Amino acid sequence: MPNIKIFSGSSHPDLSQKIADRLGLELGKVVTKKFSNQETCVEIGESVRGEDVYIVQSGCGEINDNLMELLIMINACKIASASRVTAVIPCFPYARQDKKDKSRAPISAKLVANMLSVSGADHIITMDLHASQIQVSTHEQLFCLRGSREQLC
């Protein structure tokens, strides 16, 4: 049975700490830094081999930087042989761009879901999506938390 490890992205360390405290767990060690050209570098500071990893990172604030950091963290854990990686994203990035409303317009929410899948996320937990029609690829499951109910989107 794999152990649970929780890691925090830089978007909401307080929320991550509250989640870890509530579960009686310590936050995993992770170091994020920026190179001089503003590329994001992430180093997972402990073994995740065979572990059930949860990464808490919101899509608020500097959305693009936070999203890239999350993608790199997911990939780093997968490459390090984590058993399962779940992205906990309280505010799903690009959720407002969930449908094609004009010709040649992208469905950016779908693109973000695909990027999460390709980076190695097995599951995504998010809250109060802009609309229920956000569709994700079949490689992962998206769990939406609305109030006190959980449902599979």
Side-chain angles (χ1 to χ4, degrees):
M1 176 92 175
N3 291 323
I4 294 175
K5 297 230 177 178
I6 301 174
F7 292 92
S8 176
S10 60
S11 70
H12 248 298
D14 292 340
L15 175 62
S16 302
Q17 187 62 58
K18 286 179 181 178
I19 292 170
D21 290 346
R22 177 74 179 213
L23 296 173
L25 300 171
E26 296 286 325
L27 280 177
K29 296 178 182 78
V30 62
V31 175
T32 57
K33 57 186 174 184
K34 294 274 188 179
F35 291 120
S36 60
N37 66 355
Q38 297 306 302
E39 283 184 10
T40 300
C41 176
V42 174
E43 297 173 13
I44 304 298
E46 58 190 79
S47 175
V48 294
R49 180 177 302 277
E51 305 286 6
D52 195 358
V53 174
Y54 290 79
I55 301 171
V56 182
Q57 177 79 317
S58 187
C60 63
E62 296 182 13
I63 294 171
N64 295 326
D65 287 343
N66 291 340
L67 176 59
M68 197 65 208
E69 182 181 299
L70 174 61
L71 295 170
I72 294 169
M73 289 177 75
I74 291 168
N75 190 254
C77 289
K78 270 310 213 191
I79 288 172
S81 301
S83 175
R84 180 172 53 187
V85 178
T86 301
V88 180
I89 312 170
C91 180
F92 195 85
Y94 293 92
R96 291 183 173 268
Q97 299 179 47
D98 56 356
K99 63 183 179 288
K100 189 175 176 103
D101 57 353
K102 298 176 189 151
S103 64
R104 298 178 301 279
I107 304 173
S108 300
K110 172 78 171 169
L111 174 62
V112 169
N114 288 340
M115 291 189 317
L116 289 164
S117 177
V118 168
S119 69
D122 298 296
H123 299 282
I124 301 166
I125 299 173
T126 190
M127 297 180 67
D128 295 325
L129 289 171
H130 175 66
S132 62
Q133 71 253 22
I134 293 178
Q135 298 174 3
V136 297
S137 65
T138 58
H139 295 98
E140 78 283 323
Q141 292 185 3
L142 174 67
F143 294 95
C144 306
L145 303 177
R146 296 195 176 109
S148 61
R149 293 182 8 219
E150 175 185 323
Q151 64 188 50
L152 182 64
C153 292

Short mmCIF file of all heavy atoms in Angstrom, two decimals, residues 14 21 30 32 41 43 51 66 79 84 86-88 111 114-115 119 127 134 136-137 142-143 148-149 153:
data_model
loop_
_atom_site.label_atom_id
_atom_site.label_comp_id
_atom_site.label_asym_id
_atom_site.label_seq_id
_atom_site.Cartn_x
_atom_site.Cartn_y
_atom_site.Cartn_z
N ASP A 14 0.03 28.27 2.18
CA ASP A 14 -0.80 28.22 3.39
C ASP A 14 -1.91 27.19 3.27
O ASP A 14 -2.18 26.43 4.20
CB ASP A 14 -1.41 29.60 3.70
CG ASP A 14 -0.37 30.61 4.11
OD1 ASP A 14 0.74 30.21 4.52
OD2 ASP A 14 -0.67 31.82 4.02
N ASP A 21 -1.91 19.55 7.52
CA ASP A 21 -2.22 19.52 8.97
C ASP A 21 -3.50 18.75 9.23
O ASP A 21 -3.57 17.95 10.17
CB ASP A 21 -2.35 20.95 9.52
CG ASP A 21 -1.03 21.69 9.58
OD1 ASP A 21 0.03 21.05 9.44
OD2 ASP A 21 -1.06 22.93 9.74
N VAL A 30 10.16 20.35 -1.46
CA VAL A 30 10.28 20.74 -2.86
C VAL A 30 10.93 22.11 -2.91
O VAL A 30 10.66 22.97 -2.07
CB VAL A 30 8.91 20.73 -3.58
CG1 VAL A 30 7.96 21.72 -2.97
CG2 VAL A 30 9.06 20.98 -5.06
N THR A 32 11.59 25.28 -5.55
CA THR A 32 11.33 25.89 -6.85
C THR A 32 12.16 27.15 -6.95
O THR A 32 12.32 27.89 -5.97
CB THR A 32 9.84 26.23 -7.03
OG1 THR A 32 9.43 27.10 -5.98
CG2 THR A 32 8.99 24.99 -7.01
N CYS A 41 12.47 26.08 -12.37
CA CYS A 41 13.20 24.86 -12.03
C CYS A 41 12.58 24.30 -10.75
O CYS A 41 12.35 25.03 -9.79
CB CYS A 41 14.67 25.17 -11.81
SG CYS A 41 15.64 23.75 -11.28
N GLU A 43 12.81 21.01 -7.95
CA GLU A 43 13.53 19.85 -7.43
C GLU A 43 12.71 19.23 -6.30
O GLU A 43 12.42 19.89 -5.32
CB GLU A 43 14.91 20.26 -6.91
CG GLU A 43 15.82 20.83 -7.97
CD GLU A 43 17.11 21.39 -7.38
OE1 GLU A 43 17.41 21.11 -6.19
OE2 GLU A 43 17.79 22.13 -8.10
N GLU A 51 4.99 5.99 -4.22
CA GLU A 51 4.10 6.76 -3.34
C GLU A 51 2.89 7.32 -4.10
O GLU A 51 2.92 7.48 -5.31
CB GLU A 51 4.86 7.93 -2.70
CG GLU A 51 6.12 7.54 -1.96
CD GLU A 51 5.86 6.86 -0.64
OE1 GLU A 51 4.71 6.58 -0.31
OE2 GLU A 51 6.84 6.62 0.08
N ASN A 66 2.38 29.58 -12.50
CA ASN A 66 1.88 28.54 -11.59
C ASN A 66 1.54 27.26 -12.34
O ASN A 66 1.81 26.15 -11.86
CB ASN A 66 0.67 29.04 -10.81
CG ASN A 66 1.03 30.11 -9.82
OD1 ASN A 66 2.18 30.25 -9.42
ND2 ASN A 66 0.05 30.88 -9.41
N ILE A 79 8.56 10.91 -13.21
CA ILE A 79 9.89 10.43 -13.59
C ILE A 79 10.58 9.75 -12.41
O ILE A 79 11.33 8.80 -12.58
CB ILE A 79 10.74 11.59 -14.16
CG1 ILE A 79 10.22 11.98 -15.55
CG2 ILE A 79 12.21 11.22 -14.24
CD1 ILE A 79 10.85 13.21 -16.11
N ARG A 84 1.17 7.14 -8.16
CA ARG A 84 0.06 7.90 -8.72
C ARG A 84 0.27 9.36 -8.35
O ARG A 84 0.69 9.67 -7.24
CB ARG A 84 -1.27 7.39 -8.14
CG ARG A 84 -2.48 8.12 -8.66
CD ARG A 84 -3.77 7.49 -8.24
NE ARG A 84 -3.83 7.31 -6.79
CZ ARG A 84 -4.80 6.65 -6.17
NH1 ARG A 84 -5.76 6.11 -6.85
NH2 ARG A 84 -4.79 6.55 -4.86
N THR A 86 -1.74 13.04 -8.22
CA THR A 86 -3.02 13.75 -8.28
C THR A 86 -2.73 15.24 -8.14
O THR A 86 -2.08 15.66 -7.19
CB THR A 86 -3.96 13.30 -7.15
OG1 THR A 86 -4.19 11.89 -7.29
CG2 THR A 86 -5.29 14.04 -7.20
N ALA A 87 -3.23 16.02 -9.10
CA ALA A 87 -3.09 17.48 -9.04
C ALA A 87 -4.32 18.03 -8.34
O ALA A 87 -5.45 17.78 -8.76
CB ALA A 87 -2.98 18.06 -10.45
N VAL A 88 -4.10 18.76 -7.25
CA VAL A 88 -5.19 19.41 -6.52
C VAL A 88 -5.14 20.88 -6.92
O VAL A 88 -4.21 21.60 -6.55
CB VAL A 88 -5.02 19.24 -4.99
CG1 VAL A 88 -6.16 19.93 -4.25
CG2 VAL A 88 -4.94 17.76 -4.62
N LEU A 111 -7.05 22.28 -23.45
CA LEU A 111 -5.61 22.26 -23.63
C LEU A 111 -4.89 22.07 -22.30
O LEU A 111 -3.96 21.26 -22.17
CB LEU A 111 -5.13 23.54 -24.32
CG LEU A 111 -3.62 23.72 -24.46
CD1 LEU A 111 -3.02 22.60 -25.32
CD2 LEU A 111 -3.30 25.08 -25.04
N ASN A 114 -5.27 18.55 -21.12
CA ASN A 114 -4.39 17.67 -21.89
C ASN A 114 -2.94 17.80 -21.43
O ASN A 114 -2.22 16.80 -21.34
CB ASN A 114 -4.51 17.95 -23.38
CG ASN A 114 -5.81 17.46 -23.97
OD1 ASN A 114 -6.48 16.61 -23.40
ND2 ASN A 114 -6.20 18.02 -25.10
N MET A 115 -2.50 19.02 -21.15
CA MET A 115 -1.13 19.22 -20.67
C MET A 115 -0.91 18.54 -19.33
O MET A 115 0.14 17.95 -19.09
CB MET A 115 -0.79 20.72 -20.58
CG MET A 115 -0.69 21.39 -21.94
SD MET A 115 -0.06 23.09 -21.94
CE MET A 115 -0.86 23.87 -20.59
N SER A 119 1.77 15.54 -18.80
CA SER A 119 2.84 15.69 -17.81
C SER A 119 2.87 14.53 -16.83
O SER A 119 3.87 14.30 -16.16
CB SER A 119 2.70 17.02 -17.06
OG SER A 119 1.58 17.00 -16.22
N MET A 127 -12.26 22.64 -7.96
CA MET A 127 -13.49 23.12 -7.32
C MET A 127 -14.23 24.08 -8.23
O MET A 127 -13.61 24.87 -8.95
CB MET A 127 -13.16 23.85 -6.02
CG MET A 127 -12.51 22.97 -4.98
SD MET A 127 -12.15 23.85 -3.48
CE MET A 127 -13.78 24.20 -2.90
N ILE A 134 -16.58 21.49 -19.27
CA ILE A 134 -15.15 21.29 -19.45
C ILE A 134 -14.91 19.80 -19.60
O ILE A 134 -15.24 19.02 -18.72
CB ILE A 134 -14.34 21.87 -18.28
CG1 ILE A 134 -14.46 23.39 -18.27
CG2 ILE A 134 -12.88 21.45 -18.39
CD1 ILE A 134 -13.74 24.05 -17.13
N VAL A 136 -12.25 16.68 -20.38
CA VAL A 136 -10.84 16.34 -20.29
C VAL A 136 -10.58 15.09 -21.08
O VAL A 136 -11.50 14.35 -21.43
CB VAL A 136 -10.39 16.15 -18.82
CG1 VAL A 136 -10.55 17.44 -18.05
CG2 VAL A 136 -11.15 15.04 -18.16
N SER A 137 -9.32 14.85 -21.37
CA SER A 137 -8.97 13.65 -22.11
C SER A 137 -9.26 12.42 -21.25
O SER A 137 -9.44 12.51 -20.04
CB SER A 137 -7.49 13.69 -22.49
OG SER A 137 -6.69 13.65 -21.34
N LEU A 142 -11.26 13.74 -13.71
CA LEU A 142 -11.41 15.06 -13.14
C LEU A 142 -12.51 15.00 -12.09
O LEU A 142 -13.64 14.66 -12.39
CB LEU A 142 -11.77 16.08 -14.22
CG LEU A 142 -12.10 17.50 -13.77
CD1 LEU A 142 -10.85 18.16 -13.20
CD2 LEU A 142 -12.63 18.31 -14.93
N PHE A 143 -12.17 15.29 -10.84
CA PHE A 143 -13.13 15.32 -9.76
C PHE A 143 -13.43 16.78 -9.42
O PHE A 143 -12.51 17.55 -9.15
CB PHE A 143 -12.60 14.61 -8.52
CG PHE A 143 -12.42 13.14 -8.73
CD1 PHE A 143 -11.18 12.63 -9.09
CD2 PHE A 143 -13.48 12.26 -8.58
CE1 PHE A 143 -11.00 11.28 -9.29
CE2 PHE A 143 -13.31 10.90 -8.78
CZ PHE A 143 -12.08 10.40 -9.14
N SER A 148 -20.18 20.74 -0.56
CA SER A 148 -19.75 19.57 0.19
C SER A 148 -19.90 18.29 -0.63
O SER A 148 -19.67 17.21 -0.14
CB SER A 148 -20.58 19.44 1.47
OG SER A 148 -21.93 19.27 1.15
N ARG A 149 -20.29 18.42 -1.90
CA ARG A 149 -20.49 17.25 -2.74
C ARG A 149 -19.30 17.02 -3.65
O ARG A 149 -18.65 17.95 -4.11
CB ARG A 149 -21.73 17.43 -3.61
CG ARG A 149 -23.00 17.48 -2.84
CD ARG A 149 -24.21 17.61 -3.74
NE ARG A 149 -23.91 17.49 -5.14
CZ ARG A 149 -24.48 18.23 -6.08
NH1 ARG A 149 -25.36 19.14 -5.76
NH2 ARG A 149 -24.19 18.05 -7.34
N CYS A 153 -16.79 14.72 -13.10
CA CYS A 153 -17.25 15.58 -14.21
C CYS A 153 -17.23 14.81 -15.51
O CYS A 153 -16.42 13.99 -15.75
CB CYS A 153 -16.34 16.78 -14.36
SG CYS A 153 -16.48 17.92 -13.00
#
